Amino acid sequence: MSNPAVEKMYRELRDKAVSKAEGMNEKPYVMVGTATCGRAAGAMKILETFRDELAGHQVDAELLEVGCLGHCYAEPMVAVYKPGHPFLCYGNVDEGIASRLVSDFLVGDDPCFEFAMAAFEPNDVFPTFADYPRGVYEQKIILADCGLINPEDIDHYIARDGYLALAKVLDMDPGAVVEEIKESRLRGRGGAGFPAGKKWEICLKAEEPVKYVICNADEGDPGAFMDRALLESNPHQLIEGLAIAAYAVGASQGYIYVRAEYPLAIKRLHTALDQARDKGLIGESVLGSDFKFDIQIFQGSGAFVCGEETALISSIEGNPGIPGHRPPFPAVSGLRGKPTIINNVKTLSYVPHVIRNGAAWFRGIGTPNSPGTAVFALAGKVVNTGLVEVPMGTSLRTLVYDVGNGIKEEKAFKAVQIGGPSGGCLPESALDLEIDFDSLQHAGAMMGSGGLVVLDEEDCMVEIARFFLEFTQKESCGKCTFCRLGTKQMLEILTDITKGRGKPEALELLWDLAEDIKTGSLCALGKTAPNPVLSTLRFFRGEYEAHINEGCCPSLMCNELISYRIVPEKCSKLCDACIASCPVEAVYTRPDMLKAVDLEKCVKCNNCLVTCKPLYDAVMKVTPPETGEGGDEN
Amino acid sequence: MKISRTVTITIDGKEYIAKEGQKLLWTALENGVYIPHLCGIEEEEKPAAGCRLCFVEIDGFLNPVTACTQKVKEGMVVRTRSKRVDKLVGTAFELLMSNHRLGCARCGANGRCELQKIAKERGLKLKTSRLRSLVPEVPVDESPDKFTYDQTRCVLCGRCVWVDHHKAKIGAIGLVRRGMSRKMATFGETAMADSSCTQCGMCVEACPVGALTFKEK
């Protein structure tokens, strides 16, 4: 840095933050993960317990709220530091464990290894996260500090070289910053994977005195929560990225468009912006330079389509969130007709790392055309659900079996639904696919925002396609014919098929409509809406045909196509559990004491199947559904 | 917008002189080349591009594009018909028909209806064979003295709203709600007569179909 004013100001900020961080390590502290995911699992109660116990035992320890470590299956999670001991992480913490950690670990000297998940740093007594398969395959860049820093204390971020990249770019020519991002080949993480540097370059070259930068935090895919985790766990990383983008293209006003359904993220962002303003990291004179930049938070009001950039702009302008035709692209004519950069939370979060470590470092991770890492929200029938960050090019098999630790209850893998409602379902034959933007597109799915739902033998692919299409259909703004009416027609056909009313010619019509909607729709929501249907038709056509031609659902998921049967050879006769569980008195005792289901009365609630003891396992689903009274010997 | 220069473009093998910057749809129509369209408004700088009927093939473009959004350029080569264009237009039209109350004989727009014109020009049927009917059950709003509003015949082109906002400058109507529920309505979705509508009739004249029709005297 040759601008002495900027350098001096940043050094002072950092020295103060570092000495504060070092001071923290002199006495014990407890970190409770209180992002939305942790709160849903009861983290606030754990926080309260720690507060009471620490006070009760008069322990001099700091109690901190942090963000998300990404291990959803183990929430609530707590990290306890005590000088002289390894820094340990505890999962599935309840109030009992919390009070034990205070009385035994902080007051006594027993780190309670029986409750510990992993240590954060290598030591002689307990394995670290890196010693588990997930840790071996994960490579964290943007999630690295999540769950380890206090998102409401800017010094935690600064102490870890936060805002160093901003200080660095202030001394660079804006064109050089754009060049660095271009060279890194960073691609937009919002879904489509458009090169970020190219977008910035178009905006930089636009000759307009007023330009805008916008962070798209309108995350809305069912099952995707990576943006929320980043906003709640490390908001400054994003703010720094947005400030760098603004400097690079010549904007002085930025927006963060975040959905109103993320109240905690909004609160932590407000706090973060206030602190950044106080420290002079944004505002009239960024780090004492002549770069002026401020950020405003704009809350979206629940329309999924506002994640589409033209609809997002329209929404900020005060108009209905309805997409418009592109071109012109926002980088040329965006918010209020001015050149505008719109990047996803994750894309902007990479920016400080790229600037700090250089484009070559970034290109060294991942695949040549999709460098860097990919963040996935691993969900569905996988053992270890959570937020994972792996290098691009990691295979699906590694993701599901090593990082996710395999399928729940050792059932058979069927498919992964990747990319949310815009993505597709990939079958077992694609397990060795090395995932990046291009390979997924080629396989008929999409990186999307990074939702990854693992499906097993009990998931019906027609129903999965119907579920996602129902979502997009509901979220269609209704402006264009293909999306408004086309997706509705498709949904009606799919609903018919799952209810056993599908006609043989329906598949051809479904495919036809899907292709036309894909080509003909106005915006990306409509253009990608048919993907779940197209990919399941391609890879699981047999399941569609079974529904239509044989009236059966091979996965036993579609209620209209199954019935319940109590297997006489397995039924214990003496147990009445199934009868008690039935809400409509459909299960009854036959004269020979065996139990049976009256299919006329049965509402297919599944209670009897769940209730029947594993010892007997006498209740089963059959497809196609039987008619009349159940039981073979009637 | 000041337009001075002209460009030469080719549509279906014939050359035409066009005003630079004009959108292709209007160049074609001015020169007597018909391209189906419902939502297009020539004066509007940002076309709605919602009806998805004006697809054409342009050399250099991978997929068919909408003519209402494409500015003419020197040397542009356009084909108004191709297998892909016909398939897209056919599907879009059939989708609109699945959501449109049929029965031309009892419709006030019979004879001047744009849907009839598109069907005639492109050899399309004024009904749907493959798709199911998605026509909502909504009563006709007969509250105004001069005209009626039949939502079940509306194709959501938005032309009525545009003239209400930009020509009549009243702001009595707008497009409300989303998805399948999207419709033209007054503020608060009241009956037309209970709104700020002045019954100037401009929206009725703008309606390409039989959704807004004058009452017979």
Side-chain angles (χ1 to χ4, degrees), chain A residues 213-427:
Chain A
V213 286
I214 300 175
C215 168
N216 184 349
D218 192 43
E219 183 174 56
D221 284 10
F225 47 87
M226 48 286 280
D227 292 353
R228 188 190 68 208
L230 281 167
L231 296 171
E232 292 178 351
S233 309
N234 196 356
H236 287 288
Q237 182 176 246
L238 158 71
I239 294 168
E240 187 182 5
L242 194 59
I244 293 169
Y247 178 79
V249 302
S252 56
Q253 177 66 48
Y255 291 87
I256 300 175
Y257 190 98
V258 51
R259 61 193 308 218
E261 291 92 332
Y262 284 177
L264 182 64
I266 292 166
K267 181 179 159 268
R268 288 187 174 171
L269 270 175
H270 273 298
T271 309
L273 287 174
D274 287 344
Q275 292 178 354
R277 245 173 243 130
D278 277 351
K279 301 250 181 212
L281 291 160
I282 55 173
E284 283 299 316
S285 160
V286 174
L287 279 169
S289 71
D290 49 14
F291 171 50
K292 177 186 159 202
F293 176 65
D294 212 326
I295 298 173
Q296 202 178 321
I297 295 172
F298 192 95
Q299 294 188 37
S301 0
F304 174 71
V305 75
C306 284
E308 198 278 343
E309 52 186 23
T310 55
L312 186 150
I313 286 172
S314 172
S315 171
I316 295 183
E317 287 173 346
N319 297 317
I322 285 177
H325 180 79
R326 295 185 314 175
F329 289 93
V332 178
S333 169
L335 184 62
R336 303 180 191 110
K338 306 294 179 198
T340 305
I341 289 292
I342 302 183
N343 278 133
N344 172 267
V345 176
K346 294 178 284 292
T347 319
L348 290 167
S349 294
Y350 283 106
V351 168
H353 299 276
V354 173
I355 298 293
R356 257 194 333 247
N357 302 312
W361 162 83
F362 191 73
R363 276 203 321 271
I365 303 162
T367 60
N369 285 323
S370 304
T373 53
V375 179
F376 288 107
L378 210 51
K381 306 286 177 64
V382 63
V383 177
N384 289 349
T385 54
L387 267 193
V388 301
E389 185 172 0
V390 292
M392 290 276 185
T394 302
S395 75
L396 274 176
R397 190 183 297 281
T398 303
L399 256 181
V400 174
Y401 287 97
D402 296 321
V403 177
N405 208 5
I407 311 292
K408 273 183 192 161
E409 294 167 33
E410 289 177 7
K411 295 223 161 73
F413 172 92
K414 186 187 263 182
V416 290
Q417 206 289 340
I418 192 163
S422 307
C425 293
L426 300 178

Side-chain angles (χ1 to χ4, degrees), chain A residues 133-134 196 263 265 325 352 379 499 514 534 542 615 622:
Chain A
R134 173 168 165 169
H325 180 79
K499 290 190 185 298
L534 285 169
L615 175 66
V622 285

Side-chain angles (χ1 to χ4, degrees), chain A residues 25-49:
Chain A
N25 284 337
E26 283 163 15
K27 60 175 194 174
Y29 57 83
V30 176
M31 288 173 156
V32 182
T34 59
T36 300
C37 41
R39 290 183 181 205
M44 296 316 273
K45 220 178 209 169
I46 303 302
L47 186 72
E48 211 50 50
T49 308

Side-chain angles (χ1 to χ4, degrees), chain A residues 302-305 321-322 325 473-482 484-486 488-489 492-493 496 509 512-513 515-516 519-522, chain B residues 46-52 55 63-64 66 69-70 87-89 91-92 95-96 98-99 130-134 155-156 177-180 182:
Chain A
F304 174 71
V305 75
I322 285 177
H325 180 79
Q473 200 277 320
K474 241 190 197 151
E475 292 297 343
S476 163
C477 77
K479 183 184 183 184
C480 96
T481 306
F482 283 106
R484 179 179 75 245
L485 297 166
K488 176 71 178 170
Q489 292 283 357
E492 294 280 322
I493 296 170
D496 274 359
L509 176 58
D512 234 37
L513 281 172
E515 294 269 282
D516 287 342
T519 326
S521 290
L522 172 65
Chain B
K46 282 185 181 168
C51 73
R52 317 308 285 169
F55 280 105
N63 287 315
T66 43
T69 55
Q70 219 55 50
K87 183 163 182 281
L88 280 178
V89 176
T91 303
L95 284 169
L96 284 171
S98 75
N99 189 220
R130 302 183 298 166
L131 309 175
R132 69 196 69 199
S133 171
L134 299 171
V155 289
L156 289 171
R177 298 184 184 263
R178 298 146 39 82
M180 285 298 290
R182 187 169 162 89

